[in-house]
Amino acid sequence: MTFTSAIREVDIPDVSVYEAIFGGVARHADRPAMIDGTSGKELSYRELVGMIDKVAAALAERGIGKGDVVAIFSPNTPYYAVVFHGVLRAGGTVTTINSLYTPDEVAHQLRDSRAIMLFTVSPFVDRAKAAVAADGVGVREVVVLDGAEGYPSLADLLATTADPPQVTADPAEDLAVLPYSSGTTGLPKGVMLTHRNIVANILQKQAIAPVTSETRILAVLPFFHIYGMTIIMNCGLAAGSTVVTMPRFDLADFLRVISEHRTDRVYIAPPVAVALAKHPMVDEYDLSAIDILFSGAAPLDEELAGVVRERLGCKVRQGYGMTEASPLTHAIPRDRDDISIGTVGLLAPNMEARLIDPGTGDDVGVGERGELLLRGPNIMKGYLNNPEATAATIDDGGWLHTGDVATVDADGVYSIVDRVKELIKYKGYQVPPAELEALLLTHPKVADAAVIGVRDSDGEEFPKAFVVRQADGEDLSADEVMDFVAGRVAPHKKVRAVEFVEAIPKSASGKILRKDLRARETALA
């Protein structure tokens, strides 16, 4: 059975991301587009577009054009948008890199995406330099936005006197962005999102959860993540909103920026909701400007959402999506107080959905549990250089298999109730178990290992490792295992619990039976 959206379809123009966002910028040219929440520095829409054009011209002078990949390795600043859209304006493709990544992780993405240029910031120079020097990385130039000795800066690019290039894009085929996702399983893969994918999702999101030129949006969620990139930065700019950036989450700064800049749309991941519900510091700030607190990236508990709603006196809304869908596929509209905030709301317009039995592949109906399949103009072109993973995720009918188990009621309201996929979500960040397992096996005292997601007392999922010691590794401790992993991965991927076992349960083909380990956890709970 195929389900369609209850929301009227939107027209998707055949234009590039740059044209879709900035084509009508004259209407609000002098309004603030971006504000640095730390310094208070503002960029108007006129200034922002002027800088984007300069960056595009400077890139064209350097030979960057259609088909070239440029990486951004930076926290949120107003200049992230300048570089991001400058690359697209020049005809290039942006790959956004997690600002917490280690040099090895950065190098993997640079190598896999075949990036030829890297933009970063001075605090990240050491990591960027080490990554660029790694074998197989083809980056020809590193630009340090705020300047560093021996590197060109953003100011150097903005000094160009050249005109921006005239680039003709094929929106349905040309790649706009290459964020990295683990999909339903495995190591991070480049998600090929075309201009049409991004433009479609901007319009779909506007139809279900709109912002306007009067909206002031807090951008604490990182732009390198598809949630921050599309839902906050690009949707905000497309509507003429003011986007207030923060480089990282710090509760005091978060509360201060909301209070001082009167941000009325605040996008979060569930761990922030825990702080808003429980921390006494919240009462010290005026948060009355918040109209909607919108949570995504991981499931938000309904009871927790209710506590936040009552404490802040604002609407709380939840949505669902994935990088492979650009990302938003579901959301609770602002005017639908009748929809439970424990659900992910309605299907976005222009989309179709199915629910299938994970075992048989047969369709299930209203009220029944099934893996969620999605189809629409926002679904990725595929995984970069990985046709096998693409085929395993998007079937011959064009259906994206999400790996999440959902239900839909008679009113078209969806709930995510379980997970087929192996991916762990820690504070909204993807943690692929296979990556941690491969790393653990490099420890000389580890004979075998498996990793699953378990939950703490707040319902937050985190990685737990099951480890089989080598015969001569009886002295291997849990702390030693955790320290070993922590020194080699970004903080969100750290193993936070270890259990030593005699053997890892596996199928006849050697596949780790994570469901058995999850059942073991449930039995012990």
Side-chain angles (χ1 to χ4, degrees):
M1 180 178 181
T2 299
F3 300 96
T4 56
S5 175
I7 301 170
R8 198 169 92 184
E9 287 202 351
V10 296
D11 293 326
I12 302 169
D14 197 33
V15 297
S16 69
V17 171
Y18 176 85
E19 292 171 294
I21 292 179
F22 299 109
V25 75
R27 296 192 303 271
H28 38 258
D30 295 317
R31 293 181 61 85
M34 309 284 293
I35 298 177
D36 186 318
T38 301
S39 69
K41 180 175 174 56
E42 296 187 9
L43 286 181
S44 69
Y45 274 89
R46 188 188 310 279
E47 291 169 325
L48 175 62
V49 171
M51 288 182 172
I52 289 169
D53 285 351
K54 288 289 188 182
V55 168
L59 292 176
E61 286 182 311
R62 286 162 163 76
I64 303 289
K66 198 167 181 176
D68 291 326
V69 177
V70 176
I72 305 178
F73 180 43
S74 168
N76 288 5
T77 78
Y79 302 110
Y80 202 112
V82 172
V83 174
F84 183 97
H85 288 289
V87 174
L88 299 190
R89 177 84 167 84
T93 300
V94 176
T95 188
T96 53
I97 300 178
N98 189 320
S99 61
L100 300 176
Y101 269 7
T102 65
D104 286 346
E105 291 168 318
V106 175
H108 167 73
Q109 187 165 332
L110 293 174
R111 188 184 301 115
D112 191 69
S113 66
R114 299 180 181 142
I116 61 175
M117 192 171 186
L118 173 65
F119 283 85
T120 190
V121 292
S122 56
F124 294 3
V125 164
D126 288 346
R127 283 184 288 158
K129 183 178 179 181
V132 168
D135 289 344
V137 174
V139 170
R140 301 197 300 250
E141 185 175 25
V142 176
V143 177
V144 180
L145 296 177
D146 53 337
E149 187 175 352
Y151 297 94
S153 67
L154 179 61
D156 294 327
L157 272 63
L158 296 175
T160 182
T161 57
D163 293 326
Q166 299 300 312
V167 179
T168 302
D170 180 347
E173 293 297 327
D174 290 348
L175 301 186
V177 290
L178 264 176
Y180 272 63
S181 165
S182 297
T184 57
T185 186
L187 299 174
K189 299 173 282 289
V191 177
M192 297 189 290
L193 298 178
T194 66
H195 285 265
R196 180 173 174 81
N197 290 152
I198 299 297
V199 171
N201 207 232
I202 289 171
L203 295 170
Q204 290 168 308
K205 188 267 179 187
Q206 275 294 86
I208 196 169
V211 292
T212 72
S213 59
E214 301 299 318
T215 308
R216 297 174 71 85
I217 301 171
L218 181 65
V220 67
L221 296 177
F223 293 151
F224 65 72
H225 190 285
I226 192 69
Y227 184 3
M229 181 198 306
T230 298
I231 304 304
I232 298 176
M233 180 175 72
N234 287 334
C235 286
L237 294 177
S241 305
T242 298
V243 179
V244 183
T245 65
M246 290 183 63
R248 68 189 65 82
F249 178 78
D250 171 83
L251 182 59
D253 284 343
F254 174 80
L255 299 172
R256 175 189 61 78
V257 171
I258 293 172
S259 178
E260 290 181 3
H261 292 277
R262 309 300 293 165
T263 53
D264 52 288
R265 182 67 58 90
V266 177
Y267 293 96
I268 63 166
V272 178
V274 174
L276 291 174
K278 299 182 177 182
H279 204 288
M281 189 188 300
V282 173
D283 295 327
E284 299 173 15
Y285 292 84
D286 177 6
L287 307 181
S288 61
I290 301 175
D291 175 39
I292 296 178
L293 189 77
F294 190 98
S295 180
L300 177 65
D301 178 74
E302 182 173 7
E303 183 178 348
L304 175 63
V307 172
V308 174
R309 179 183 60 195
E310 296 307 311
R311 189 177 192 188
L312 300 187
C314 65
K315 293 181 181 291
V316 176
R317 295 292 184 260
Q318 185 167 190
Y320 171 82
M322 53 194 302
T323 307
E324 291 80 353
S326 302
L328 185 129
T329 65
H330 297 74
I332 303 173
R334 183 191 186 282
D335 60 354
R336 293 295 302 271
D337 290 330
D338 59 308
I339 295 178
S340 165
I341 52 179
T343 73
V344 296
L346 306 178
L347 183 66
N350 301 60
M351 294 203 74
E352 300 172 290
R354 288 168 56 205
L355 298 173
I356 65 168
D357 184 301
T360 66
D362 294 336
D363 283 78
V364 302
V366 171
E368 297 181 276
R369 296 161 61 103
E371 182 184 2
L372 179 64
L373 275 57
L374 297 167
R375 188 164 66 182
N378 51 314
I379 301 301
M380 68 171 179
K381 191 173 182 178
Y383 292 119
L384 180 70
N385 304 321
N386 203 329
E388 295 83 6
T390 300
T393 304
I394 301 178
D395 64 27
D396 292 341
W399 291 98
L400 174 74
H401 292 240
T402 67
D404 285 314
V405 178
T407 62
V408 60
D409 68 17
D411 296 318
V413 177
Y414 290 74
S415 298
I416 304 299
V417 296
D418 202 352
R419 182 179 295 160
V420 175
K421 58 189 179 185
E422 299 172 345
L423 197 64
I424 300 165
K425 284 288 191 78
Y426 177 72
K427 297 186 182 296
Y429 291 109
Q430 295 181 343
V431 183
E435 182 178 350
L436 295 178
E437 289 159 357
L439 177 58
L440 285 165
L441 291 176
T442 66
H443 193 293
K445 295 181 181 179
V446 172
D448 204 357
V451 176
I452 65 170
V454 298
R455 296 191 180 276
D456 63 18
S457 58
D458 288 323
E460 181 68 57
E461 191 176 32
F462 63 89
K464 176 178 178 177
F466 293 83
V467 173
V468 179
R469 295 183 178 101
Q470 291 279 16
D472 60 351
E474 292 182 1
D475 60 337
L476 179 64
S477 68
D479 285 344
E480 185 179 346
V481 172
M482 289 188 284
D483 289 345
F484 176 79
V485 174
R488 291 163 175 81
V489 298
H492 65 275
K493 295 182 186 176
K494 292 194 297 186
V495 167
R496 295 169 190 273
V498 175
E499 182 177 340
F500 293 103
V501 294
E502 293 298 317
I504 301 298
K506 293 182 181 179
S507 68
S509 63
K511 182 178 175 64
I512 294 172
L513 297 175
R514 291 191 181 83
K515 62 181 178 60
D516 291 358
L517 294 172
R518 284 192 284 269
R520 174 193 179 106
E521 283 295 301
T522 301
L524 293 174

